[in-house]
């Protein structure tokens, strides 16, 4: 039998370091540019176009051409040596028409390149701001709803608090990685965070259910032994579920294209740390808050 709880102090220190790192990157990014995360066009408003070039190209060169063509304040992001994402503040209802004008400007100023438009999106600034606030509210409401659900399911705030701290930990780790790597927060990423919360809480509930069952059948054992036994009994299920979920997510990350890259990256981080938090965050906190008999 694996003694999972023997490492609980080391994993607690590791999670604390991650949280401190998250606070550090928040302070650094905010001081650097006035906001913590890079937001996609969904949240900032404007127009973004993904261009594909038949030969390697630098994002800085593309940005200069777009700026000189009249789109001041343009931002570019290099997805690969052949793909560049262009974002401008101009908003038009016809995103395809604007992206076509960008393509013409690029082909005129960069002769010898064949350029195709992979994707184009346009969002008004007011809509983007409203959408951003509603997305963060959705994450907070999901956490609160799960707290209430688990509290009533297990009739214990110790179980509920352990689960909600684990979920908060998972969300923070995903956001930490996105802030650290300066990846964009988009609607897809918010959806991935919500999916991870559901995945993680499901694993936690399975473990908690086994702990509750064993507390009834192992009355003479300590809570430490009961939790360890329960974690070992659910380990096979946890590993198989994580692998079965991780395989298609990895395939989606490597072969799904740029449109799904951030989404699948968030899911991969969430699967790893969702499994970790169910074992090393939720259960130890539940033990800490459970009254001793």
């Amino acid at each position: 039998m694996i003694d999972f709880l023997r490492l609980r102090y080391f994993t607690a220190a590791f999670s604390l370091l991650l949280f401190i790192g998250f606070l550090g990157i928040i302070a650094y990014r905010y001081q650097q540019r006035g906001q913590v995360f890079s937001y996609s066009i969904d949240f900032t408003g404007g127009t973004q176009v993904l261009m594909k070039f038949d030969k390697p190209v630098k994002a800085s060169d593309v940005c200069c051409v777009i700026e000189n063509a009249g789109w001041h304040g343009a931002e570019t992001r290099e997805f690969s040596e052949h793909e560049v994402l262009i974002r401008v503040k101009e908003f038009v209802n016809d995103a395809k028409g604007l992206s076509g004008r960008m393509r013409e400007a690029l082909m005129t100023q960069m002769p010898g390149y064949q350029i195709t438009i992979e994707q184009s999106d346009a969002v008004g600034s007011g809509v983007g701001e409203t959408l951003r606030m509603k997305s963060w509210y959705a994450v907070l409401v999901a956490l609160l709803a799960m707290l209430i659900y688990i509290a009533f399911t297990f009739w214990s705030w110790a179980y509920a608090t352990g689960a909600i701290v684990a979920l908060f930990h998972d969300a923070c780790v995903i956001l930490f990685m996105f802030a650290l790597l300066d990846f964009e927060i988009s609607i897809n990423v918010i959806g991935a965070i919500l999916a991870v919360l559901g995945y993680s809480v499901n694993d936690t509930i399975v473990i908690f259910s086994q702990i509750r069952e064993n507390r009834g059948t192992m009355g003479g054992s300590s809570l430490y032994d009961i939790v360890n036994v329960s974690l070992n009994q659910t380990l096979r299920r946890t590993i198989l579920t994580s692998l079965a979920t991780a395989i298609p997510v990895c395939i989606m990350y490597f072969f799904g294209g740029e449109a799904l890259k951030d989404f699948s990256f968030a899911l991969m981080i969430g699967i790893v740390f969702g499994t970790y938090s169910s074992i090393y965050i939720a259960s130890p906190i539940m033990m800490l808050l459970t009254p001793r008999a």
Side-chain angles (χ1 to χ4, degrees):
M1 185 177 73
I2 302 173
D3 188 358
F4 287 103
L5 297 180
R6 180 173 59 88
L7 300 174
R8 66 188 185 279
Y9 296 115
F10 294 100
T11 55
F14 172 68
S15 295
L16 182 61
L17 286 175
L18 284 177
F19 189 68
I20 292 173
F22 183 39
L23 295 178
I25 199 68
I26 286 176
Y28 173 74
R29 293 293 187 203
Y30 188 80
Q31 184 180 26
Q32 182 187 45
R33 61 190 180 196
Q35 66 177 25
V36 178
F37 300 104
S38 295
Y39 292 100
S40 72
I41 197 72
D42 302 327
F43 297 137
T44 60
T47 305
Q48 72 177 19
V49 182
L50 180 61
M51 300 281 191
K52 186 172 184 179
F53 298 76
D54 64 334
K55 293 184 290 187
V57 67
K58 291 183 179 179
S60 57
D61 295 338
V62 174
C63 187
C64 287
V65 172
I66 294 297
E67 286 269 0
N68 293 333
W71 287 284
H72 301 294
E75 298 177 4
T76 55
R77 178 184 173 191
E78 197 171 302
F79 277 160
S80 69
E81 61 180 12
H82 291 277
E83 291 180 312
V84 176
L85 182 72
I86 306 166
R87 179 183 296 146
V88 296
K89 296 178 182 178
E90 182 180 347
F91 167 72
V92 293
N93 291 325
D94 184 14
K96 291 184 178 179
L98 178 59
S99 61
R101 298 203 306 272
M102 287 185 185
R103 177 177 176 272
E104 290 176 6
L106 287 168
M107 292 191 70
T108 300
Q109 297 298 321
M110 303 176 70
Y113 282 94
Q114 291 298 319
I115 306 171
T116 56
I117 301 170
E118 296 283 288
Q119 182 181 343
S120 58
D121 300 292
V123 178
S125 58
V127 174
E129 181 66 26
T130 301
L131 198 58
R132 177 165 58 179
M133 295 304 298
K134 287 185 176 180
S135 297
W136 292 123
Y137 287 151
V139 175
L140 294 176
V141 169
L143 289 171
L144 179 61
M146 290 179 187
L147 173 67
I148 296 171
Y149 169 74
I150 296 173
F152 278 99
T153 299
F154 293 92
W155 209 247
S156 168
W157 285 107
Y159 285 90
T161 304
I164 208 67
V165 170
L167 294 177
F168 181 74
H169 171 275
D170 298 339
C172 283
V173 169
I174 295 173
L175 294 174
F176 171 51
M177 294 304 296
F178 270 73
L180 181 66
L181 300 173
D182 202 21
F183 288 174
E184 288 184 341
I185 300 292
S186 64
I187 286 293
N188 287 341
V189 173
I190 297 296
I193 292 175
L194 292 173
V196 165
L197 296 183
Y199 170 86
S200 181
V201 78
N202 179 64
D203 197 23
T204 300
I205 287 174
V206 169
I207 293 173
F208 279 176
S209 297
Q210 191 66 44
I211 291 172
R212 182 174 59 177
E213 180 181 335
N214 286 339
R215 290 184 74 179
T217 58
M218 299 171 60
S221 302
S222 66
L223 184 58
Y224 181 99
D225 291 334
I226 292 173
V227 171
N228 247 336
V229 169
S230 302
L231 290 173
N232 278 273
Q233 289 174 337
T234 56
L235 181 61
R236 178 184 174 87
R237 182 260 179 204
T238 298
I239 292 175
L240 291 177
T241 302
S242 298
L243 286 176
T245 311
I247 290 172
V249 170
C250 288
I251 292 173
M252 184 167 56
Y253 178 80
F254 289 108
F255 302 105
E258 290 298 331
L260 294 175
K261 204 138 195 170
D262 288 348
F263 173 74
S264 52
F265 177 75
L267 286 179
M268 284 195 297
I269 297 296
I271 290 170
V272 173
F273 281 92
T275 303
Y276 162 86
S277 66
S278 296
I279 296 173
Y280 286 112
I281 303 294
S283 298
I285 288 179
M286 180 276 295
M287 291 174 58
L288 185 65
L289 298 178
T290 299
R292 299 294 185 265

